[in-house]
Amino acid sequence: MLPLQTTFRNLTSYYINAFSNINRNFHSNQPLWALPLRKKKKVDPQLLKERAEKKIRRLQRDIRKLEKVARQCKPLSEMDIPRKAMRDSERIRPPPVLTKEELQERAELNYVWSQYKRRQHLAEMKAIQRVVAAQEKALDALEEVSQDLYNEAIQPDPFDTF
């Protein structure tokens, strides 16, 4: 082989390898496969204004129709009482029959519940009394320090609403 041919062969293989590496790093996705976008048509501004006005008129008309419909009361089928139920005036469920054990258990539960609620009420009352006592103690200390601050502190808060 001639030296020129080997050089040419080496060069061509070099460029082929270089281009194949480029192709490996070149990625495409579906949006790139799409057709080119069409040119936007120029739209007359007067035409756009007319379309917008027409849309507004249509919406106003629909609103008027809905307002007319809103005035009419729709009958509620859920509120209708069936005629059979109207005739049956004695539709009262009988009270459940309780045994002595169930009555005793209910009485015990009621007693335990009332005791629990009483203890809870007493704890809340003690907490309120502690807070009130602390407030009074703080007001007494404030009165000893400054009478003006005390008078300001005992004024009702104008922003506090009950």
Side-chain angles (χ1 to χ4, degrees), residues 34-52:
L35 295 173
L37 298 175
R38 292 184 186 171
K39 248 187 182 178
K40 281 191 173 181
K41 294 180 181 178
K42 292 185 180 178
V43 182
D44 186 23
Q46 182 66 29
L47 184 64
L48 285 175
K49 188 176 179 182
E50 288 175 5
R51 285 182 188 168

Side-chain angles (χ1 to χ4, degrees), residues 53-109:
E53 289 173 358
K54 187 176 181 183
K55 191 173 187 180
I56 289 171
R57 283 195 307 269
R58 191 179 329 121
L59 287 172
Q60 288 173 344
R61 186 184 69 225
D62 291 343
I63 289 171
R64 281 194 304 271
K65 283 183 181 178
L66 287 174
E67 286 174 348
K68 288 179 184 177
V69 172
R71 291 182 198 136
Q72 298 172 356
C73 293
K74 181 179 176 184
L76 295 175
S77 60
E78 302 91 36
M79 298 300 288
D80 294 339
I81 300 173
R83 292 174 194 239
K84 183 180 178 189
M86 296 280 280
R87 286 186 301 230
D88 297 339
S89 60
E90 298 178 14
R91 292 194 65 225
I92 299 171
R93 182 181 295 182
V97 179
L98 300 174
T99 62
K100 283 188 176 183
E101 293 84 23
E102 289 174 336
L103 288 172
Q104 184 68 26
E105 185 180 349
R106 286 186 180 194
E108 288 174 9
L109 284 174

